[in-house]
Each structure stands twice: as C-alpha cells, then as structure tokens.
Amino acid sequence: MKIAICDDEKIFRDTLKKSLNKYSSEYELTFLYFEYSDGISMLSDNISYDLIFMDYKMKNMNGINVISALRERNDNTTV
C-alpha cells in the first residue's frame, strides 16, 4: 500500500509512521511511505497513492488546496 504523509512538522510525520508500522506489523501488511514537508513537493511527484494523511494547515499551500489539486487530476485517493 502506498501511503503519502504530508505535514510540515517532522515529529508528526514520524509519530504517524510509528503508529502505522505497528498496525502493519499486527496485520502483516506492507506499507510504502512517501513523506512530504509541503504540498507543493507532494504534487510535483505525481504519484497515485492508496491513502493520504494530510496536514491542513501548512505554509505556502495548505492541505485543502493540495487535495483540491489532486482531485482536479481525477485522483480519488482516500484522505
């Protein structure tokens, strides 16, 4: 499963990955993480994710705008 984590604070990205790793171990799942500190870099990768964790309040481009841009690409990934 390809998971995008977009948050401008590394501590939150790390904490989320730690929780997801615990979950994936319990249920024998494989997660591939894509970490972003801002929405602009996430959009530039042009990757289709299975799941996105998005901070809505970031500098430059907030999470709402990033998701709107993804939806314009016809990306219906769960956020």
Side-chain angles (χ1 to χ4, degrees):
M1 177 179 277
K2 293 187 289 187
I3 299 176
I5 302 172
C6 187
D7 196 306
D8 54 348
E9 296 188 48
K10 184 170 176 24
I11 186 81
F12 292 123
R13 294 191 313 265
D14 291 344
T15 301
L16 179 57
K17 281 192 338 187
K18 184 177 179 181
S19 295
L20 289 169
N21 284 334
K22 182 178 177 186
Y23 181 86
S24 68
S25 293
E26 287 178 23
Y27 294 95
E28 298 179 8
L29 300 170
T30 302
F31 295 156
L32 178 60
Y33 301 110
F34 297 84
E35 278 189 72
Y36 303 97
S37 60
D38 62 75
I40 295 168
S41 60
M42 181 180 169
L43 289 172
S44 70
D45 269 358
N46 200 21
I47 298 171
S48 182
Y49 309 101
D50 298 304
L51 182 62
I52 298 172
F53 289 91
M54 175 68 63
D55 182 6
Y56 75 94
K57 190 175 181 182
M58 296 182 289
K59 297 176 184 173
N60 298 328
M61 186 174 202
N62 69 42
I64 305 292
N65 293 337
V66 174
I67 298 305
S68 293
L70 287 172
R71 295 294 183 240
E72 287 177 16
R73 294 182 186 172
N74 293 320
D75 187 333
N76 292 317
T77 302
T78 301
V79 179

